Structure formats: structure tokens, C-alpha cells
Amino acid sequence: MPIVRVALDIPLSTLFDYTVAEGIAVAAGQRVIVPFGRRQMVGVVMECVAATEMAPERIKPVTQVLCDSAPLSAELFDLLRFCSDYYRYPIGQTVLSALPTRLRSDKPVISRVTLSYRLSASGAALDLDAPPRDGGAEPSGAGGAAERLLPQSAGYASNVSQPFPKRKVVQRRILAKLAEQPCNLAQLKSLSATVGAQLKALVAEGWAESFLETHSSEGSPFDTSGRTATSVQKHTFDNAHMLTGEQQQAVDTVTQTSSYACFLLHGITGSGKTEVYVHLMHHVLQRGGQVLLLVPEINLTPQLEHYFRSRFPDVNLISLHSGLSEGERLHNWQQAQAGVAQIVLGTRLAVFAELPRLALIIVDEEHDSSFKQQDGLRYSARDVAIFRANQRGVPIVLGSATPSLESYHNAQSGRYRMLRLTGRALAEARLPAVRCININQTVMHHGISENLLREIGLRIARREQSLLFINRRGYAPVLMCTGCGWLSGCKHCAGKMVLHLNDKRLRCHHCGYQLHVPHACPSCGNADLHPVGSGTQRVENVLQERFPEARILRVDRDSTRNKRAWQTMREQIHANEVDILVGTQMLAKGHDFPALTLVGVLNPDSALYSSDFRAAEKLFAQLAQVAGRAGRADKPGEVIIQTAFPDHPLFLALQTHDFEGWAASQLAERQMAGFPPFVYQAMLRAEGKQETGVYAFLNQARAAAVALQFAVEILGVVPAALPRRANHIRAQLLIQGAKRKDLQQFLRAWQPLLDALPAQKLRWSLDIDPLEF
Ligand SMILES: [Zn+2]
Ligand SMILES: [Zn+2]
């Protein structure tokens, strides 16, 4: 009897063997339902083999073979096997976590096969606005019949645009909408209650035509015949922008590459990296390839989607991110798998999409830490994307204004190829002037300096926008008693409770615990409690008092909890209905606000003396990015940084827009100190309610590591940066290797020993190439 080896969502680093009844066809990559313990589980067949080491009486048969979705490819398996091995995560959980939720459920997938509608060739030739000939009557008699015949003659015969009867209001609206883009019935529903009947009439007349969104001839949503059928694509390309010399050179260099190569596209903010992406995509699409574009922020996907759709109006572009409904995500995933989706735009999970015709990968804002997953399979989507490009033999472009030091180092040492964009795409847009204000030598109003307030006043008078950037939400980061020095600590964590004045609460941002603001000090009874420091809400209040007429908008996680809120805010900003923006890093990323000419940075100093060796790198990237928001159109921008250390090299480098110099000094420091990218790291983390248990586990793990005698450096067991969270004690152990290979060999030997350690009542995890300390 044939045996299948099945990946299951079980935390064991093994596959599970099952038999298959005679006569049932099953292939690698298919999903199956199998008995596991008392449960029935969904798994993926990784291999079909002839024999098993399991005793015949113990092996169970597969319950059901699911044929509702195309099998996963061997190529995807290779990628997932690599991830499982590299990130030390069980193979079954790796495979299952890469799938859309619907494919992980044991219920058969019911695919939506939706009909879409578009204009026919003759429909496209209609003139919807022109006054009709013959006085506005509907075509009738001989003339009308002739016109009605026209569509059947494929429309090419007539280049003369015909007027459409004015009376048919709903039909006109439908045609106008379809002229913008193909739509399905649901998307047209808002036009009229009778839209179904009217659409039918338009199809019958030959003005519109229906087509299957999935391009599938048999109505099967996972037909892969699209791979060959669409090998050469013609698409409309809005080539509205002239490339600069540097942009053209970048495009040429990448398009001349037909095999694997990793490019670092280092372009200052406003230098037009996106335009380079557009031209690279155009090149790939013309040749029938698929493009995978990874972006860090789910918030950025709708506007990017809209932008790329406007540049490639008839290209099938889909998005993949966790904000989609389960049905949408499955549908889009299957479009990518069938080779029908030509551009796949997504957040980190999209790196695992099946892409049979993948020809180019782009990772935008490659330095962004959101590409790293912080739980479960702790992968870096950027690094997996590089492996994938290599596996597939296609080029990959990493884009950033402030590359990660890892990527920058690789580009300098020749592992990656550097592409530079040093000028802004719009000649009249200059880089903003950056200056520092010493907070110890100036008048401050609740954390905002008088100079900055004056500059904001000037912008309001000129009807320009200002942005105040502060990386703390809430009113104040802590509440203090002036009598005894009591601070609002969280009783479950080692952190402080943040004051939120809007609803008079203290909230812990680590565990979510909240309290009403006390009327008196819980420690000494003193009623004089003071907020210490500033958050977004406090800055908003100060500005309201100073500029009562100004329209102030606060953008942080609290004000954008509602799904549509951020979208609405962006529209307000673009319509110049806002004078001052106050926000956290949400505002720093990738948004283009043409009326914004002043950026004030409040309180960035904590990162300068952080224990995290990456804090300065992150701060530089964040400030360069937020500074890049100022003065993108024809108005020059200005950035004011409030700091107690105006002479710090980081701020000097920002003022001179000198990423190269800054990166060189940082890399030299890292090399001296023995930090990445000059070493490779793995972090073992443990947490549990009992301090002794957590430390005993880590100390045993350390002893086991030392006894292995590999060429790696084993550091001491230390408390985590937040040593207690939600009543759990947290500690960690760092391992470093001078070579990636050394570290990987060590981890392969170490992990089975960790699995064998007693670990009651605690959770532990391995994090390879950790970003958070
Ligand atoms: Zn007190
Ligand atoms: Zn807490």
C-alpha cells in the first residue's frame, strides 16, 4: 500500500506517515484530512513513499484527499523546507502557516467564480457624452437596427464614436464605470437597483461582455493553463514620466540581468524609486512574467495598489495581506498560484505565495523591521525573498532611502549590486533643511519649544501644513506623585502605565491592563499627581491652546483604531483641510503630502542611549523618512529636531543628508564591538511565571551549548529588555557566530537538546537573526 508523508500543524519537527486506500490517487502537494489522536486534521502531502518505519498495526489511513485547490509546487516546498531548517521551526507548522487560513481548515474550499464585465470593442468606441444625432431619440427603424448590428461586427470597422442614448441613464452609468475598469456585479450594485437587468441588456446589445476573473476555461479556479497561455502579454502602460539619467541606468542594469542578482536601490526620499519599480514591472509584464512586490505596512497597500493600477490599467494586480477577508485572501492566492495575477503586492506573508511565472521580486523599504515576523515562524520576509530569488534564478531589488546596515554592507562588499539615486525626481524639489534646537537652551511649552511654535504659526499663515512627530501615544508616558516620587507602574509588567487623559485612564501598552486615573497617590495619599513627559495627546492639547483656530489632526494607533479612519484622514490631509498633524511613526512611512513644509521632531533622544545596538540605526531611518515628508512638491521643506544633544553625529549626518558617512561610522563601530553584520546571531528566549524555572531552563540550555564545543560565542543568561510582562518573567540567551554556516551547524545540534530539556510551565523560542533585544 502506498504511504504518504504528511505535514501537520503540530509542534514536532517531523512528518507523519499515513496509508492511502487502493484506487485513490494522491500526489505531493495535495491537502488531505487525516486522523491525529482523537482529532481529524488538515495536512499537506510532502512525499509519496513506498515504505514506512512505522509498525503496520499503528499506521492509519488518510480520511480524505481534498481536491478543491491545486497542489502546492515542489518549488514552494523547497522554500518552506529551507525556512523550517534555517529558522529552526517545525516543518509541519512552517508549511501550514504559509497557507491562507481557508486552506488550513478541514472544510472544503468553496471557490467563488465571479463573472466580471468589461466594455466590448464597440462599447469602448461609444461616445457617452456627445449629444445624440437626430435629436436625442433612441435609435429606431433602419438606422437603429444598423447601429445595433455594429457591435456584432467586432467594432473595429467603425472608428467613428457613436453617441449613446441619453435616456438610458443607468446603462450609461454602467458603461462609464466599465470604461474606468472591469467590474463584477457586486461592484456595480451601487449604481442602481436594476443594475442586473440593465447589464444583461448591455451584454445582449453587444456593448459589454462578461469574462471569468480566473481565466479558467473549465470554470476551475485553479486551472494552471494560464502559465503557457499568457506567456506574452500586451498591456497598457501609462508611461507619463520621463526617467532621470540615474533612474534609467538603474532600470537598464536590472533588466539586463536574466539570472539571480540582488540589487540594493539606494535612493534618497523623493528620488523616484517607485518610478524605477514601475519600469521594471513593465519590462517583466511584457515578457509574461509575474512580479512580487513586498511592502512593510498594511496601511500602505491600498494607496500603492491604487497607484500601480493607474499605471497598469489592464494588468491583473492582486494584494495579499492580513487585512483581507479569508475569502479574498484565498481568491487572490489562487490567482497568483494559477499564474493569472501578474503583479502581487503584499506584506511579508506574500513572500510565500505560489508564483509559477515569477520573474522579479521587489522589496520596498527593505530596512523596515516589519518584514520580520515576531512570533511563530520568526522569518524575515526580505531574507526569504532573497533566498527565493536565488532559488528561482531571477533578480531581486531591495529599495530604501536608508538601507539596513546589513544590506548596505553586502552592497559595499560586492555581494549585492548597488544602484544609486542621488537626485530628487522633480528638479525643483530640494531636500529639506534640517536644524536642531537645544532644548536646554530655549523656552519650552510642555515639550514644544517656542521657536518651533513660531515656525508652525508662520506655516498656518501661509496655508501650509506642519507635522509634529513624537513616537509616543497617549497624554504622558507616566504619572508621578510630587510628594513621594511614586510612578504609575503596571502591576503586571516591569513597564510604566501611560496616562490617557481623553478617557481619564492609565494604560499599560505592554499587557493592556488599565485603571481609572487615581484621585490621590496610592502610596502617600498626596493629591498632587503630575504627568511626566509628552505623548501625542498632550502635544495636541498644547497646540490647541496656542492655535485655537488651527485644524489639528492626531494620527496614532488610538485615533486610527477604526478601519476606515486612516483613509479618511489621508483624504483630509490631501485636500489641505488640516493645518497641523501630530503623529507617531505611522505618519513617517511612505506617504506623500504635497502641502507639508515643516516637520518638528520631538524628543528623539532616548534612542541615543538605548541598550539596543540597532536603536541609532532605526532612529536615523525614521528621522530621514519623516524629514523626507517635508517639501516634496515645489515648496522647500524644513525640519526642526528638538534635542539635548544637538552635536550628536547622528543629527549632524541628518543635517548634511550624509547616509554614507553615517553608515560608514556605524559599520566601523559594529565591527569593533563585534555586532551584526559582522557576526550572526540567534536568541533563545524563555518566559514563565516562576523566575527560577525560567533561569534554570536557560542555564541548562547554556550548559548544553557550551558542551557542544562549536565555533560559536555563547553569551550569558540575562533578563529581557522588559524583564516582566503580563506577570511573566522573561529572560534570554544570545549565541553569536562569525560565520552563518557555523551558527547554523551549531543550532542543528543544539535544538534537539533544547527539545529534550524539562520546560514545564514555560514558553521558549529560538529567534534567528533577531531584530529585537
Ligand atoms: Zn505619593
Ligand atoms: Zn502591563
Side-chain angles (χ1 to χ4, degrees), residues 481 484 486 521 523-524 526:
C481 166
C484 71
W486 168 86
C521 171
S523 175
C524 73
N526 177 8

Side-chain angles (χ1 to χ4, degrees), residues 490-493 497 508 510-513 726:
C490 173
K491 68 173 182 181
H492 305 293
C493 303
M497 306 268 283
C508 173
H510 299 294
C511 72
Y513 178 65

Side-chain angles (χ1 to χ4, degrees), residues 427-443:
E428 63 273 28
R430 263 165 296 146
L431 281 170
V434 180
R435 69 185 159 106
C436 289
I437 288 180
N438 189 333
I439 54 171
N440 294 326
Q441 294 172 9
T442 187
V443 184

Side-chain angles (χ1 to χ4, degrees), residues 565-704:
W566 179 215
Q567 173 67 21
T568 312
M569 288 181 181
R570 268 186 34 229
E571 284 160 14
Q572 282 177 289
I573 302 168
H574 272 276
N576 212 354
E577 290 166 2
V578 176
D579 299 309
I580 312 173
L581 284 153
V582 179
T584 56
Q585 56 184 350
M586 280 188 71
L587 271 178
K589 289 181 184 177
H591 305 288
D592 206 349
F593 304 134
L596 182 73
T597 58
L598 174 68
V599 170
V601 177
L602 310 180
N603 211 358
D605 290 351
S606 61
L608 299 177
Y609 36 84
S610 162
S611 60
D612 176 359
F613 70 89
R614 281 196 179 86
E617 177 187 352
K618 283 181 200 158
L619 179 63
F620 188 95
Q622 209 167 55
L623 295 189
Q625 215 159 23
V626 75
R629 302 300 118 221
R632 285 169 76 91
D634 50 349
K635 297 176 187 128
E638 187 176 9
V639 180
I640 294 176
I641 298 170
Q642 294 190 169
T643 171
F645 309 98
D647 298 323
H648 192 284
L650 190 150
F651 298 130
L652 296 180
L654 273 172
Q655 283 169 34
T656 50
H657 305 283
D658 181 17
F659 177 83
E660 272 83 6
W662 164 252
S665 72
Q666 285 290 297
L667 282 170
E669 270 180 36
R670 296 260 185 107
Q671 188 160 24
M672 289 269 290
F675 285 140
F678 300 96
V679 297
Y680 298 91
Q681 297 181 321
M683 179 79 89
L684 176 65
R685 296 195 184 89
E687 62 173 74
K689 291 201 168 168
Q690 303 296 331
E691 182 163 348
T692 46
V694 171
Y695 281 87
F697 171 81
L698 288 173
N699 283 321
Q700 287 172 47
R702 189 175 187 283

Side-chain angles (χ1 to χ4, degrees), residues 733-751:
L733 167 62
L734 186 66
I735 313 284
Q736 307 195 135
K739 295 199 178 98
R740 208 189 279 276
K741 221 176 79 193
D742 292 344
L743 183 64
Q744 281 289 314
Q745 277 173 352
F746 162 78
L747 291 169
R748 274 182 212 120
W750 193 37
Q751 196 189 9

